[in-house]
Amino acid sequence: MKLATVFASAMLLAGASVAQPFPSKTVRLISGTTPGSATDTVARAVAERLQLNLGQTVIVENRLGAGGLIATTSIAKGDADGHTILVHAAAYTVSTLISPLQFDPAKDITPVAAMAVMPTTIVTSPAKGYKTLHEMVAGAKAKPGTFNVTTAGVGSSTHMNAERFRFSAGIEVVHIHFKGTPEALTEVLTGRADYFVAPTFGVIPHLKEGRLVALAMGSQRRSKLLPDVPTSAELGYVNSDYHFWIGALISGKTPPALAERIHMEITKAVQSPDVQERFAKLGVEPLTMSMADFQAMIAKEFEDNAKLIKAAGIKAN
């Protein structure tokens, strides 16, 4: 009996050591994008609310490189105690398809919570003379192979959005890839590039100053910041839009109960009035859904992007 009692006590202690309270230390939101980008900005807004809700320090840590894969790999190979959370965007379903991986996305990564949707806008320089999207498409068709579009990198959401629009419009364009949105936008502002499918929050000041022209939204819906700008789909370009989501992913080894807790905490943070107010100022739309729906959405996106990547011949740099 005594031996059994000792064994039972040992098992209870072991269980207690495994089931540590969450959070028991600093929570890190890992961003694979540069500070000031849409994904990073969303991560910081959510981190502040999480810190208040959890009563524990929550920080955003930028781990840059390889189109977000360095950050993603660190999560896939990291601890599964819930204290390290990846904040990624729709580019996740592209970079993991076109690059050699050190992990299996289906097993080593668990999508846990949606956070936001980032509207995109097809912009051009007023010097180009295009006042409508149809005029720009006509211009592209008049100069096949020399008309160019900038992107924030191969496989980025801006690249995929541009590819979807290109196929829908039936135009041939030259893709000029940069390492981020600021460089891609500069080329359009200077008139060296013809257009860019840009994250909306970054072009609002330039639109107000008349340095850019908004031809259409590249996203699925109009933006509250640009209510009079129609979507490319509204203008007749079927399947030209792109769903630029931002969300949280964790280690695939995370216990289900802990994954549900993280999902609940992030969803509660996104739904808080202060976070939604910050999102609104950025033109970012809150996005919340069940964990199962978020995972199904990403699975469907993997299928769609695999087809687009093959059709467009997209390969990692």
Side-chain angles (χ1 to χ4, degrees), residues 19-255:
Q20 292 294 323
F22 174 84
S24 59
K25 59 183 179 180
T26 297
V27 177
R28 287 177 167 78
L29 301 189
I30 307 301
S31 170
T33 59
T34 55
S37 66
T39 303
D40 180 78
T41 303
V42 165
R44 292 178 189 280
V46 172
E48 288 183 18
R49 172 43 57 182
L50 278 176
Q51 180 163 294
L52 292 172
N53 290 352
L54 295 173
Q56 182 63 263
T57 302
V58 180
I59 64 172
V60 175
E61 185 176 309
N62 300 90
R63 297 182 185 174
L64 307 179
L69 277 182
I70 289 178
T72 306
T73 302
S74 71
I75 298 299
K77 292 181 171 293
D79 294 334
D81 61 4
H83 291 85
T84 308
I85 301 168
L86 175 68
V87 179
H88 212 327
Y92 167 71
T93 61
V94 181
S95 61
T96 48
L97 288 172
I98 64 175
S99 304
L101 302 177
Q102 301 175 28
F103 62 91
D104 182 349
K107 296 179 180 179
D108 299 328
I109 295 287
T110 295
V112 70
M115 290 180 172
V117 173
M118 171 58 66
T120 57
T121 308
I122 302 174
V123 295
T124 187
S125 166
K128 297 293 180 180
Y130 304 121
K131 296 181 179 179
T132 68
L133 189 61
H134 297 311
E135 288 181 1
M136 190 189 79
V137 169
K141 289 183 176 179
K143 299 187 293 182
T146 60
F147 206 81
N148 56 54
V149 58
T150 56
T151 80
V154 174
S156 66
S157 294
T158 64
H159 181 197
M160 300 303 283
N161 206 158
E163 288 287 18
R164 284 179 67 89
F165 174 68
R166 174 175 75 86
F167 278 112
S168 178
I171 57 177
E172 295 180 28
V173 299
V174 177
H175 289 275
I176 306 174
H177 302 295
F178 291 91
K179 293 182 179 180
T181 292
E183 298 93 335
L185 188 57
T186 296
E187 291 301 295
V188 176
L189 285 166
T190 59
R192 289 191 291 267
D194 291 299
Y195 71 104
F196 177 39
V197 189
T200 301
F201 86 108
V203 299
I204 294 298
H206 302 297
L207 292 172
K208 289 181 178 179
E209 295 169 5
R211 301 179 65 200
L212 289 174
V213 176
L215 299 177
M217 301 305 297
S219 42
Q220 296 177 325
R221 294 185 296 275
R222 294 192 184 199
S223 169
K224 293 180 181 179
L225 294 180
L226 299 171
D228 296 327
V229 179
T231 66
S232 55
E234 284 181 73
L235 295 173
Y237 299 97
V238 181
N239 296 324
S240 60
D241 56 284
Y242 193 70
H243 189 49
F244 189 166
W245 57 266
I246 298 170
L249 305 97
I250 57 178
S251 165
K253 299 182 290 293
T254 306

